[in-house]
Amino acid sequence: MEPLVDRPGPQIGRSSLGERMASCCSYRTLQAWLPILTWLPKYRLSWLQMDLIAGLTVGLTTVPQALAYAEVAGLPVQYGLYSAFMGGFIYTFLGTSKDVTLGPTAIMSLLCASYVGGDPVRAVLLSLICGTIQTAMALLRLGFLLDFISFPVIKGFTCAAAVTIGFGQVKNVLGLKDIPHEFFLQVYYTFYRIPETRAPPLFETTPNGTSISFGEIIEDFGGGLAVIPFMGVLESIAIAKAFASQNDYRINANQELFAIGLTNIMGSFVSAYPVTGSFGRTAVNSQTGVCTPAGGIVTGVVVLLSLAFLMPAFYYIPKASLAAVIICAVAPLVDYRVVMQFWRIRKLDLVPFLITFLLSFWEVQYGIVGGVVVSGLMLLYNVARPSIKVMCMYVCVRAFICLDSGLSFPSTEYLNTVLYTQALQASPPRSVVLDCHHVNTVDYTVVNELRDLLRQFKLRGVGLIFSGLQSTNNDEV
């Protein structure tokens, strides 16, 4: 399938103020803010069947997962369904990936549990605030900040979160009560109280009627107002990029920010807690052959029908069953093979990975911040020794690009965009010779992006040639 959104790349030279104003008011700009205008005029009847099948399949997957993830967030199960349908409708109009589905996820639910304390009112308010922050980031075009989160940090966090979430459900499977939320205490008391294992009853939490001001709630959220919006965007965009690469189209980080932010804002009006892209449901969506984001509408309708007609039956779902759903959902997130890949490609990448992984067992936000700080220090070491980059572009069937320094993870997205714009979007597409005489170091994120670029060039029948590569132990390149 063709890319859903064909966005203009960076332009060389300056345009007049009048041209810029005309560009801002153009139909192309409107398409950038409303990607549905790009694919809806091309919509085919044959796509409708695939979108219906995919939407229905994802919807049937979403319902049990939404109930289970509400349990992870410490909320009544119906709040999982309240959070699961808005994303399908909003993302259809604003999303740039045909595969991504927005809704409750294990990681986002875990983060919410850390800050809302099982209070539905706070959870809904957190969704509104997070959506506002994410939308403001999109309007300020701050999507580039995500380029500074390296792959080891993402992997370290997701692996630790999977272990934390999975083990956190053991108490529900065994029917244990009064187990602390702190991970290490949770491990100790779970094993200590195994003799108390009993059958999975449901308990109803009632509000105590205490009045708390808005300022006090914001103060209690603390670092969550930075961690949750940022991690929500990071998780969703990482998923969108992965499936965009797999299915040969491109996404726009700022537009994804806008879609997620507006989904959380609108979701707060229907009692939703913060949501983001779901890897598992996105995989189901892609594998069932979805053609456009319209499949999300079908998913949203399935969730709404479940809310309307099946809510009384959900009361009888045992917590042990929901715990089993959660454990099965997060188990694939523990990717032990990535450690060996880090070791082969760049051993230093293990440092932010391990710091993020280990600190996340203490507090999730500490793991993220620790990994980002270490990655930043590693990056600043190279930035402190700047080198000159020279780019030579020729208007012909081949482009020549010279790199005068090493490649690191923040520069990969820019390199990807330049190559895509100047070569793959050219008419006809151009081959590229990438002069790497001065490139003496790459990391795992760079190798991952270059592998995707090679595949995209091959699909379009043009070449991406690396000239002057130095001999290293990076077998994966």
Side-chain angles (χ1 to χ4, degrees), residues 328-378:
C328 291
V330 301
L333 295 178
V334 183
D335 188 1
Y336 61 89
R337 293 170 297 183
V338 78
V339 176
M340 295 305 299
Q341 292 174 332
F342 289 149
W343 182 262
R344 287 198 304 268
I345 295 173
R346 189 177 184 233
K347 296 178 178 60
L348 279 177
D349 282 342
L350 285 170
V351 177
F353 170 82
L354 290 174
I355 287 177
T356 304
F357 180 78
L358 295 175
L359 288 181
S360 292
F361 292 118
W362 180 18
E363 289 286 347
V364 170
Q365 59 269 31
Y366 296 160
I368 299 168
V369 172
V372 170
V373 168
V374 171
S375 291
L377 292 175
M378 292 168 60

Side-chain angles (χ1 to χ4, degrees), residues 183-228:
F183 179 74
F184 296 106
L185 290 177
Q186 190 177 89
V187 173
Y188 172 78
Y189 280 103
T190 297
F191 285 106
Y192 180 76
R193 295 183 176 176
I194 280 181
E196 302 175 17
T197 299
R198 58 183 175 76
L202 296 176
F203 293 90
E204 180 182 3
T205 302
T206 58
N208 57 17
T210 303
S211 177
I212 303 176
S213 69
F214 179 80
E216 290 173 323
I217 294 176
I218 296 298
E219 184 179 349
D220 288 343
F221 283 154
L225 295 182
V227 173
I228 293 179

Side-chain angles (χ1 to χ4, degrees), residues 375-397:
S375 291
L377 292 175
M378 292 168 60
L379 176 63
L380 288 174
Y381 179 80
N382 293 325
V383 174
R385 293 160 177 80
S387 58
I388 299 174
K389 290 185 177 181
V390 179
M391 182 185 302
C392 300
M393 304 298 299
Y394 297 97
V395 184
C396 59
V397 295

Side-chain angles (χ1 to χ4, degrees), residues 68-302:
Y69 291 148
E71 172 67 25
V72 173
L75 300 171
V77 293
Q78 64 267 27
Y79 283 86
L81 293 180
Y82 297 158
S83 307
F85 65 86
M86 186 61 73
F89 298 112
I90 299 292
Y91 197 83
T92 298
F93 290 88
L94 301 180
T96 59
S97 169
K98 73 180 181 66
D99 301 299
V100 167
T101 62
L102 299 183
T105 66
I107 292 176
M108 189 56 61
S109 299
L110 175 66
L111 290 171
C112 290
S114 302
Y115 293 101
V116 302
D119 185 344
V121 175
R122 292 194 176 198
V124 174
L125 180 59
L126 181 60
S127 179
L128 175 62
I129 298 173
C130 287
T132 302
I133 294 172
Q134 291 162 340
T135 303
M137 291 175 65
L139 295 176
L140 294 173
R141 316 301 287 177
L142 297 180
F144 74 92
L145 293 176
L146 299 173
D147 296 339
F148 290 89
I149 305 298
S150 66
F151 190 82
V153 174
I154 297 173
K155 270 298 178 183
F157 168 70
T158 54
C159 289
V163 174
T164 304
I165 294 168
F167 191 85
Q169 299 307 307
V170 173
K171 64 180 184 294
N172 290 327
V173 174
L174 301 179
L176 301 177
K177 293 180 60 177
D178 300 324
I179 301 296
H181 289 288
E182 201 276 326
F183 179 74
F184 296 106
L185 290 177
Q186 190 177 89
V187 173
Y188 172 78
Y189 280 103
T190 297
F191 285 106
Y192 180 76
R193 295 183 176 176
I194 280 181
E196 302 175 17
T197 299
R198 58 183 175 76
L202 296 176
F203 293 90
E204 180 182 3
T205 302
T206 58
N208 57 17
T210 303
S211 177
I212 303 176
S213 69
F214 179 80
E216 290 173 323
I217 294 176
I218 296 298
E219 184 179 349
D220 288 343
F221 283 154
L225 295 182
V227 173
I228 293 179
F230 192 75
M231 284 309 303
V233 173
L234 181 63
E235 183 178 7
S236 188
I237 291 182
I239 293 168
K241 282 186 176 181
F243 283 88
S245 172
Q246 176 181 315
N247 296 321
D248 193 33
Y249 61 87
R250 292 183 62 77
I251 60 101
N252 181 278
N254 280 309
Q255 189 62 31
E256 294 294 300
L257 259 172
F258 188 56
I260 298 167
L262 192 59
T263 295
N264 279 321
I265 290 175
M266 299 304 296
S268 69
F269 292 100
V270 292
S271 298
Y273 66 89
V275 302
T276 185
S278 163
F279 185 88
R281 295 193 296 274
T282 298
V284 171
N285 205 29
S286 178
Q287 291 167 7
T288 49
V290 69
C291 294
T292 70
I297 295 178
V298 182
T299 299
V301 170
V302 170

